[in-house]
Amino acid sequence: VQPAVHTMRGLLPLVLGCWGSLEGLYVLEGTSGQLKQVNRTDGSKTSIGTPLASSGWAIEDSCSPVTVDQTIKIHYTLARPSSSPAGMWTLVGASLQDGSILSHVPLPNYFRKNARACEYTLDIDDNDRVLVSGVAGGQLLTVQINPRLAQGGVVLVANITLGEHIGGQAAHPSSTFDIVRKLLWYQLQDGLAVVNVTAKALHGSVPFPSGHNLTGLSFDTGSEKVFALVVGGQNVAVAGVDAASWPPTVATSGSFAPGEALARAGASTTVIVRDQQLITLGIASMFTVAFNGSLVQKVPVCDSSCPASVVYEPYVFTTVIV
């Protein structure tokens, strides 16, 4: 039995519609794979469409990397067919409007079948293609997938041997795409690898400052900085990496005490919203944090289950054509 999917039609454009506001935060629930829009003020959630599980797809309960195509309003995550739980992870795209599944592209064999979903990261490049990144055999691999093409149009854009000074695979890596310079920033054990996806080469690396471990990477187009969380002890600080200079400078601001562990403190649990604030998930709550590290708000987000990931769609109105 194949999972349900409404397939995109190759190279032919398909008008999905003209909708009102889709701006907001979206979370993916663990276990069921239910996409929901969440209210930043009180943590209340509204389901969008039906769960991935009801269409034959299974996500990893506590660990689901996600990204959102802000142009064509598609939410991407990694899932496996329920009938093949040991198979290769598949990039599944669903409409932000109604949750309908629009595409599914298996990851190429560059990656390991037995890897956990949170060992991968997902980003959108400047041409609405999905960048899937992960570490395998001491190499940082990034592939570019165009879900609108037959077989996904998979292209290997990075195969980089990791250096000792930035370590190997992080337990829960994160990444972000600098749309201004076409650079992918990827979190490793002891630093950040910066990949030029156009040149398909390592642009450089940024070792973590002593005593700091940056995670939850998010690129802010306004300031041209990569923001990240610095998790250690009882407090969480905000760090800003100046992506406009090289070598980039890392500046850490104030900190807040979440009062609970952060949700994996890695991929797809931290996003930037338009009013210069970060949203990050804890194991039971959602935190709004200013760029200066001060806590703005904490709201509960767990009811029958807890979110496995969060993304932000910043644009209000849309006409979607794929």
Side-chain angles (χ1 to χ4, degrees):
V1 178
Q2 292 296 315
V5 61
H6 303 287
T7 307
M8 294 181 181
R9 300 177 183 176
L11 297 174
L12 298 178
L14 172 65
V15 178
L16 297 182
C18 181
W19 304 319
S21 177
L22 293 179
E23 179 186 9
L25 286 170
Y26 294 82
V27 296
L28 190 67
E29 296 282 358
T31 307
S32 68
Q34 176 66 61
L35 182 63
K36 295 184 177 181
Q37 189 168 22
V38 60
N39 186 309
R40 286 174 57 189
T41 303
D42 60 14
S44 60
K45 292 172 284 187
T46 303
S47 294
I48 301 170
T50 57
L52 289 176
S54 67
S55 299
W57 294 101
I59 68 167
E60 194 161 342
D61 290 355
S62 62
C63 188
S64 295
V66 297
T67 191
V68 64
D69 188 322
Q70 297 175 358
T71 303
I72 55 180
K73 317 305 178 190
I74 296 178
H75 179 279
Y76 292 102
T77 191
L78 295 182
R80 285 178 170 138
S82 302
S83 58
S84 181
M88 179 59 81
W89 290 104
T90 296
L91 181 69
V92 178
S95 165
L96 281 184
Q97 170 71 5
D98 58 14
S100 59
I101 299 174
L102 301 174
S103 65
H104 61 118
V105 180
L107 297 191
N109 291 328
Y110 301 120
F111 298 112
R112 296 179 293 116
K113 280 188 176 181
N114 62 349
R116 297 189 65 197
C118 59
E119 294 180 30
Y120 299 104
T121 65
L122 303 179
D123 295 281
I124 299 291
D125 70 9
D126 54 316
N127 288 306
D128 300 322
R129 294 164 299 197
V130 183
L131 299 174
V132 184
S133 302
V135 174
Q139 307 287 116
L140 171 58
L141 304 175
T142 298
V143 298
Q144 183 186 75
I145 296 177
N146 186 343
R148 290 179 283 172
L149 296 179
Q151 309 302 318
V154 177
V155 177
L156 180 67
V157 296
N159 186 356
I160 295 166
T161 301
L162 301 177
E164 293 183 1
H165 60 297
I166 53 174
Q169 178 180 344
H172 301 297
S174 62
S175 63
T176 191
F177 185 70
D178 174 353
I179 197 170
V180 178
R181 294 164 192 83
K182 315 299 187 288
L183 299 176
L184 176 73
W185 295 69
Y186 185 88
Q187 171 201 347
L188 292 162
Q189 214 168 23
D190 302 313
L192 306 177
V194 186
V195 179
N196 185 318
V197 298
T198 303
K200 300 181 181 180
L202 182 69
H203 181 76
S205 58
V206 183
F208 291 146
S210 178
H212 292 68
N213 188 353
L214 275 58
T215 187
L217 306 180
S218 298
F219 180 71
D220 176 50
T221 55
S223 64
E224 297 190 16
K225 289 184 178 180
V226 173
F227 284 91
L229 300 180
V230 183
V231 182
Q234 301 299 312
N235 291 338
V236 177
V238 174
V241 184
D242 185 4
S245 63
W246 197 268
T249 55
V250 181
T252 304
S253 61
S255 63
F256 70 99
E260 65 184 69
L262 296 187
R264 305 184 313 283
S268 306
T269 58
T270 303
V271 293
I272 290 177
V273 293
R274 62 167 53 188
D275 44 2
Q276 293 193 328
Q277 294 175 335
L278 291 164
I279 299 288
T280 191
L281 294 177
I283 58 173
S285 308
M286 183 173 72
F287 302 90
T288 303
V289 185
F291 281 179
N292 64 10
S294 62
L295 179 63
V296 177
Q297 186 171 248
K298 174 182 178 179
V299 297
V301 288
C302 293
D303 35 48
S304 58
S305 63
C306 296
S309 60
V310 62
V311 290
Y312 178 61
E313 167 53 53
Y315 299 111
V316 179
F317 295 101
T318 177
T319 299
V320 178
I321 301 176
V322 295

